[in-house]
Amino acid sequence: MHKIPTFGASDLKQVRETARRLDSAWIGGGFSRDGGSDVKSIMSPFDGETISEVAFASERQVDLAVQAARAALKADWGTMGHEGRAVLIRALADAVERNWLELALLESLDVGKPILHSYNDDVPTTVGVLRWYASLTETAYDLSPARRKGVLSQIVREPQGVVGIVLPWNYPLTTLALKIGPALAAGNTVVCKPADDTPLTTLRLAELAIEAGFPAGVINVVPGTGPVAGKALGLHGDVSAINFTGSTATGRRFLHYSADSNLKEISLECGGKNPAIILPDVTSLDRFADDISTGFLMNSGQLCSSISRVLAPHALEGDLRDMLVAKMREWPIGDPFDPATRIGPLVSDAHAAKVNRAVDIEKQRNNDFSVSAAETKGASPRLVEPVVFFNVAEGADAWKEEVFGPVLSVRFYDDLASAIRSANDTQYGLSAYVFGENPRAIREASTTLDAGFVAINAFCEGDFTTPFGGFKTSGFGGKDKGIHSLDQYSRTKSIWWAT
């Protein structure tokens, strides 16, 4: 059950003052400016107001951040045991919890997502993730294979070193936690590059880490553009690994950066065009209506794991149309600080234009669609009303290309095997969803779908104990969440003793 956050004008005033203060790179233990840095106006996605003027990091500042991270590895952080790191990660989780409302308001201000979402999902998830990895830090252990006569063998884990973390704009705070949690648990230091439009909660968390007792240089933040800060991080010879979440096109660039520098390890979580298959044994959609609709409406569709395609049996066509129209009406659109709002603005003018172009292209060839009839409060060019397209052609962009907005494409099928082939006929393989009644049919469908994560009768990404990551151009090289995420932040060493 969602809690309704209580806040007033004074809280909003305070968070705006905080936003203005978060105005440059965080290197070592404080803010750092370069005289030649470009300054980016960070705007509110809802009203376009400038909420901060952030000096973007130059190549020189990226280098300073990497050197600060390397120095921390050689100092207290590098010599600290598992227990000490666990204490600090847990202290950071406590600091986030103490600043719950502030971080929720700051995330809504910067990203445009409804406060109901930031308050009930983003911040508590961040707290839970950090505490989970604190516990893993305490319980990590190395391996010793079966004993051999005259031999003692060990397999030990060591930190990669300095890890570059490149964040998306849709979930900056929770994605940051999902990456720094295992990176810090494994003993690394980090240099984080938030997305151009949404650097504020990343900077605030770095500040909270120092307040929580982290040594300077363990967590560094270099806000900036991809061609400058991202490229400098990707090419830096003292960065041992990069963990990236974002577009497939940008993910490819980091592979080139690795090849052109020190062959640093690259972990990618990229795009998705995620299908939901409603199996033929479903006779009523009532049980699944909330999950299917939430799957494409949550965070205004700006979610890598969102349901962007639905394949349903022809027998349910009328029910599905009626259900989607009814559910869209239940998601009010408008001001993200109105607790009644469930769909806020898209993150920027550029992204809203991209989504609107995709909608216009499909409308030119397909007049079988329904738009939201939900109440809209306020006016903003970045408010995009949800739309569902029916009987979308398999070759259409709306069926195959990621839109990253509140846009759903639907097809109806007679044959389940052909529906699964259609679901898999895309370059992506991030998430997939199966809704059904028969356990055997569910199992067969879920094992056939070409996706790294499959949810059954639910819209979710699992929780932070479950590995999440995709196949094909949705990424490779590691998983976010779960014990397995430690693998990409560690290197294994075999030690062979002749006794």
Side-chain angles (χ1 to χ4, degrees):
M1 188 71 170
H2 277 148
K3 298 177 182 177
I4 305 299
T6 301
F7 60 93
S10 62
D11 298 300
L12 287 171
K13 180 182 178 182
Q14 181 61 51
V15 83
R16 288 178 181 274
E17 291 174 358
T18 299
R20 286 192 290 272
R21 184 173 55 75
L22 304 170
D23 64 355
S24 60
W26 181 274
I27 298 174
F31 291 104
S32 171
R33 279 177 173 263
D34 189 318
S37 295
D38 292 333
V39 175
K40 163 89 172 186
S41 295
I42 306 300
M43 72 168 194
S44 160
F46 180 64
D47 59 20
E49 177 187 348
T50 295
I51 56 179
S52 185
E53 297 278 356
V54 177
F56 274 7
S58 62
E59 291 182 16
R60 174 179 170 274
Q61 285 185 295
V62 171
D63 179 63
L64 289 173
V66 173
Q67 298 315 318
R70 281 180 61 81
L73 280 172
K74 297 176 182 178
D76 291 347
W77 181 258
T79 58
M80 190 180 295
H82 292 80
E83 298 86 354
R85 293 202 303 273
V87 167
L88 288 176
I89 297 170
R90 191 169 285 112
L92 179 56
D94 293 343
V96 171
E97 188 170 48
R98 285 194 301 272
N99 292 274
W100 189 317
L101 178 61
E102 177 202 273
L103 288 166
L105 291 171
L106 190 61
E107 194 80 329
S108 289
L109 182 66
D110 198 11
V111 183
K113 65 177 61 181
I115 186 61
L116 196 69
H117 187 159
S118 299
Y119 188 85
N120 286 283
D121 296 323
D122 296 48
V123 177
T125 297
T126 299
V127 173
V129 165
L130 291 172
R131 287 181 176 153
W132 160 257
Y133 283 107
S135 70
L136 286 185
T137 307
E138 293 173 317
T139 56
Y141 60 89
D142 295 325
L143 300 175
S144 179
R147 294 179 58 188
R148 300 166 186 258
K149 185 176 182 180
V151 169
L152 174 64
S153 58
Q154 296 173 278
I155 303 171
V156 299
R157 289 178 179 269
E158 297 178 346
Q160 291 273 15
V162 177
V163 175
I165 290 175
V166 183
L167 299 167
W169 48 257
N170 58 333
Y171 280 84
L173 184 62
T174 53
T175 308
L176 174 66
L178 288 167
K179 296 184 186 301
I180 67 169
L184 299 176
N188 302 280
T189 55
V190 298
V191 178
C192 305
K193 194 204 88 65
D196 304 16
D197 293 312
T198 56
L200 300 183
T201 49
T202 304
L203 288 164
R204 181 66 178 123
L205 187 134
E207 190 176 46
L208 289 174
I210 293 294
E211 295 175 15
F214 271 76
V218 176
I219 300 175
N220 306 275
V221 182
V222 286
T225 64
V228 177
K231 183 178 181 180
L233 196 58
L235 289 171
H236 204 293
D238 287 332
V239 173
S240 301
I242 294 281
N243 186 288
F244 168 83
T245 293
S247 72
T248 299
T250 303
R252 293 179 191 273
R253 292 193 188 100
F254 278 98
L255 294 176
H256 284 288
Y257 298 153
S258 173
D260 291 341
S261 56
N262 60 339
L263 288 180
K264 58 180 63 67
E265 293 191 22
I266 305 291
S267 301
L268 303 177
E269 199 261 86
C270 300
K273 189 66 176 175
N274 311 301
I277 294 185
I278 302 172
L279 297 182
D281 58 32
V282 174
T283 56
S284 171
L285 293 174
D286 292 347
R287 175 185 168 194
F288 309 126
D290 285 336
D291 284 291
I292 294 171
S293 56
T294 300
F296 91 97
L297 295 172
M298 186 175 182
N299 201 34
S300 304
Q302 300 170 121
L303 180 59
C304 61
S305 58
S306 66
I307 295 175
S308 55
R309 298 181 293 154
V310 169
L311 293 123
H314 275 294
L316 289 176
E317 179 171 350
D319 290 346
L320 183 62
R321 287 175 181 268
D322 292 344
M323 181 272 284
L324 290 171
V325 169
K327 284 296 176 184
M328 283 193 290
R329 193 176 296 118
E330 296 175 6
W331 286 64
I333 306 166
D335 184 349
F337 291 114
D338 182 344
T341 295
R342 298 186 71 187
I343 294 180
L346 301 190
V347 71
S348 66
D349 288 332
H351 186 59
K354 173 181 175 289
V355 172
N356 282 323
R357 279 196 303 272
V359 170
D360 290 341
I361 288 170
E362 182 61 18
K363 282 182 176 179
Q364 288 172 13
R365 60 163 306 282
N366 184 355
N367 60 9
D368 189 1
F369 62 86
S370 295
V371 297
S372 172
E375 181 182 8
T376 300
K377 293 183 179 180
S380 168
R382 292 163 291 279
L383 288 174
V384 175
E385 64 180 357
V387 58
V388 181
F389 289 101
F390 297 97
N391 293 306
V392 177
E394 282 194 299
D397 286 350
W399 189 253
K400 289 195 171 186
E401 300 300 324
E402 186 177 45
V403 176
F404 223 62
V407 181
L408 182 66
S409 295
V410 177
R411 288 180 58 81
F412 301 100
Y413 69 85
D414 292 311
D415 175 61
L416 179 59
S418 65
I420 291 176
R421 284 195 298 271
S422 181
N424 288 334
D425 186 20
T426 172
Q427 64 175 315
Y428 301 110
L430 186 55
S431 300
Y433 304 88
V434 179
F435 295 92
E437 304 288 351
N438 183 282
R440 176 174 291 182
I442 290 171
R443 180 181 60 81
E444 291 177 354
S446 62
T447 56
T448 308
L449 286 165
D450 198 7
F453 180 85
V454 179
I456 309 300
N457 292 342
F459 170 69
C460 68
E461 293 180 359
D463 63 16
F464 40 78
T465 68
T466 308
F468 181 82
F471 298 158
K472 300 188 285 188
T473 63
S474 288
F476 64 92
K479 302 282 187 180
D480 282 337
K481 303 192 296 187
I483 294 174
H484 296 79
S485 65
L486 292 170
D487 294 343
Q488 63 201 299
Y489 300 106
S490 307
R491 58 185 190 179
T492 56
K493 177 184 289 184
S494 296
I495 302 176
W496 186 273
W497 295 60
T499 62

